[in-house]
């Protein structure tokens, strides 16, 4: 059937377009050993814009999107953050983005496949309606729905479901890896049992935490760590002014410290980071998409011995000198995923949160008129809101709620 959407394509001039497009009900597997199921037609209610949408647009400019396209087409409807309504169920839902012919799509094997709605081989939420696997629709609890409508404040909050779930997964991975990476150090230092040492190593992974980048993933990562490990020292680094609303919100949520990246001198920035951390970072979390991330960590030595470099950025290359990398016992982690239980936790947390006050709404007519201009001049520019979103179906939203 035909609907209206924004979609990505390989084109130097028009890597993202809007207009009428054909959508397809493609049978899909949620997990390996489960049957393929037809999708359920859902109306898109509200969708948030993610930095990966912008990166995919840049890939389109470079003619690099072919492997991401919906099979049999030369385009991909983007969008993976938001709320849909399933008329057949009379339910509002969040779409679990990743599935496939794999036992765990967050860690798929070489002989397994995956898809991601709006990102990789499956059309997404930047459309008036679309088809989604019925078992990948996670209900929004009825208590947050008023008279058949979703309050606008709740819809805004839930545009953060994907990054919140991703960071829940990321924290879990850092805990697992940090415990395994450094428990022998703790055993030798504290003359304790292996179980005690693993607990200490997990906690001390976050002793001095650097979050490089203050987008949605960076804020959620810092907030989760500060909430679970309040004894940790957490420092955010970004280009935003220290008196910006985004920085104020992040520091209010976390109690963390802040370093503004306002210098071309990487050494100066590194020195200020170490001063705020009171030492070198035990874990360096890169979320900015900036080439400077790995330079600060490795060239300027901000990542301490036995430290973990956790790369959540999309785009930049990471390099290091093998001699110092080996002798300093550094570990590099890359894991951009989440599980179903993480998304359920994110929905519950966000519905009770105040993240809606960080969301800027744009009009659907603006998006459909010129999405490329909006991406380049409003949504993904310095000083933009933490999250930008668009309402696709105001009839399902209490716009005053």
């Amino acid at each position: 059937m035909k609907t209206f959407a924004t979609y990505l394509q390989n084109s130097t001039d028009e890597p993202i377009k809007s207009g009428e497009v054909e959508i397809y009900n493609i049978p899909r597997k949620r997990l390996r050993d489960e049957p393929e199921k037809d999708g359920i037609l859902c109306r898109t209610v509200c969708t948030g814009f993610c930095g990966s949408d912008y990166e995919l647009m840049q890939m389109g400019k470079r003619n690099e999107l072919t492997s991401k396209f919906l099979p049999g087409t030369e385009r991909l409807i983007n969008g993976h953050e938001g709320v849909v309504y399933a008329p057949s169920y009379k339910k509002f839902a969040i779409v679990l983005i990743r599935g496939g012919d794999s036992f765990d799509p967050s860690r798929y094997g070489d002989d397994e496949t995956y898809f991601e709605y709006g990102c990789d081989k499956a059309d997404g939420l930047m459309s008036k309606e679309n088809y989604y696997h019925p078992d990948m629709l996670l209900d929004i609890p009825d208590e947050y729905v008023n008279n058949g409508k979703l309050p606008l404040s709740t819809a805004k909050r839930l545009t953060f479901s994907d990054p919140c779930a991703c960071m829940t997964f990321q924290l879990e991975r850092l805990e697992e890896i940090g415990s395994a990476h450094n428990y022998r150090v703790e055993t030798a230092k504290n003359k304790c049992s292996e179980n005690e040492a693993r607990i200490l190593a997990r906690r001390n992974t976050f002793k001095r935490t650097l979050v490089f980048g203050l987008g949605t993933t960076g804020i959620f990562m810092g907030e989760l760590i500060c909430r679970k490990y309040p004894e940790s020292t957490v420092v955010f680094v970004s280009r935003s002014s220290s008196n910006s609303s985004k920085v104020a919100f992040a520091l209010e949520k976390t109690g963390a410290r802040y370093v503004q990246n306002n210098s071309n001198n990487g050494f100066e920035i590194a020195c200020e980071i170490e001063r705020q951390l009171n030492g070198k970072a035990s874990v360096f979390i890169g979320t900015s998409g900036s080439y400077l991330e790995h330079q600060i960590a490795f060239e300027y030595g901000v990542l301490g011995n036995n430290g973990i470099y956790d790369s959540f950025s999309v785009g930049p290359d990471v390099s290091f000198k093998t001699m110092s990398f080996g002798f300093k016992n550094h570990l590099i982690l890359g894991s951009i995923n989440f599980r179903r239980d993480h998304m359920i936790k994110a929905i519950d947390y966000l519905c009770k949160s105040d993240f809606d006050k960080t969301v800027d709404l744009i009009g659907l007519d603006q998006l459909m008129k010129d999405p490329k201009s909006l991406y380049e001049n409003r949504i993904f520019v310095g000083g933009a809101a933490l999250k930008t979103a668009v309402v696709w179906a105001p009839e399902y939203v209490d716009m005053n709620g």
Side-chain angles (χ1 to χ4, degrees), residues 120-382:
D120 211 326
K121 298 181 282 291
D123 285 334
L125 281 73
M126 285 293 176
S127 54
K128 185 178 179 182
E129 60 252 308
N130 211 340
Y131 296 95
Y132 303 103
H133 192 294
D135 299 334
M136 296 175 71
L137 295 172
L138 307 182
D139 290 352
I140 296 169
D142 290 338
E143 63 188 283
Y144 300 109
V145 180
N146 298 328
N147 298 317
K149 291 190 175 185
L150 195 65
L152 179 61
S153 58
T154 303
K156 285 180 173 181
R157 293 167 190 165
L158 289 170
T159 60
F160 290 102
S161 296
D162 181 271
C164 185
C166 281
M167 293 301 99
T168 302
F169 179 90
Q170 202 77 353
L171 178 61
E172 179 184 273
R173 293 291 289 133
L174 280 168
E175 289 174 328
E176 293 169 347
I177 288 175
S179 175
H181 184 50
N182 282 322
Y183 82 89
R184 292 189 184 279
V185 174
E186 299 295 344
T187 302
K189 184 190 304 182
N190 297 286
K191 307 295 189 292
C192 58
S193 69
E194 179 178 330
N195 285 339
E196 292 171 318
R198 285 183 179 274
I199 292 170
L200 287 170
R202 183 177 64 210
R203 185 186 69 198
N204 288 334
T205 294
F206 308 100
K207 185 176 182 179
R208 288 184 296 274
T209 297
L210 177 63
V211 182
F212 204 97
L214 201 56
T216 55
T217 52
I219 287 179
F220 277 114
M221 195 74 244
E223 197 272 341
L224 285 168
I225 291 170
C226 288
R227 185 150 39 100
K228 190 165 185 179
Y229 299 98
E231 71 280 5
S232 301
T233 299
V234 176
V235 173
F236 289 113
V237 179
S238 84
R239 292 175 295 179
S240 299
S241 169
S242 57
N243 59 10
S244 70
S245 59
K246 181 166 68 173
V247 173
F249 180 80
L251 300 188
E252 176 189 345
K253 295 292 286 185
T254 63
R257 303 175 184 181
Y258 183 68
V259 173
Q260 184 180 3
N261 173 16
N262 59 355
S263 171
N264 292 324
N265 189 321
F267 177 75
E268 289 181 358
I269 297 169
C271 290
E272 179 60 18
I273 290 170
E274 289 194 34
R275 189 179 74 81
Q276 293 290 343
L277 281 172
N278 294 318
K280 294 184 180 294
S282 55
V283 61
F284 187 115
I285 302 166
T287 71
S288 73
S290 166
Y291 185 77
L292 187 62
E293 284 179 3
H294 78 97
Q295 290 181 310
I296 294 291
F298 299 116
E299 292 183 27
Y300 297 111
V302 167
L303 183 63
N305 285 13
N306 309 308
I308 301 174
Y309 183 88
D310 181 16
S311 176
F312 200 82
S313 283
V314 177
D317 293 336
V318 174
S319 64
F320 51 85
K321 293 181 179 178
T322 54
M323 178 71 79
S324 57
F325 174 77
F327 278 97
K328 290 183 177 180
N329 195 38
H330 285 157
L331 187 151
I332 294 180
L333 166 66
S335 191
I336 304 180
N337 297 298
F338 56 85
R339 294 193 310 271
R340 186 177 187 274
D341 59 317
H342 295 141
M343 185 64 89
I344 292 171
K345 288 179 182 177
I347 292 169
D348 179 66
Y349 170 71
L350 288 167
C351 282
K352 302 170 184 174
S353 77
D354 61 350
F355 273 86
D356 55 291
K357 65 186 183 183
T358 68
V359 180
D360 178 33
L361 277 186
I362 61 168
L364 182 59
D365 56 339
Q366 295 175 283
L367 177 65
M368 297 305 288
K369 181 180 179 181
D370 192 350
K372 181 173 178 287
S373 178
L374 275 177
Y375 276 43
E376 294 178 335
N377 300 310
R378 177 169 173 178
I379 300 172
F380 300 107
V381 295

Side-chain angles (χ1 to χ4, degrees), residues 379-397:
I379 300 172
F380 300 107
V381 295
L386 179 61
K387 174 68 65 180
T388 304
V390 58
V391 173
W392 286 84
E395 64 270 28
Y396 290 116
V397 179

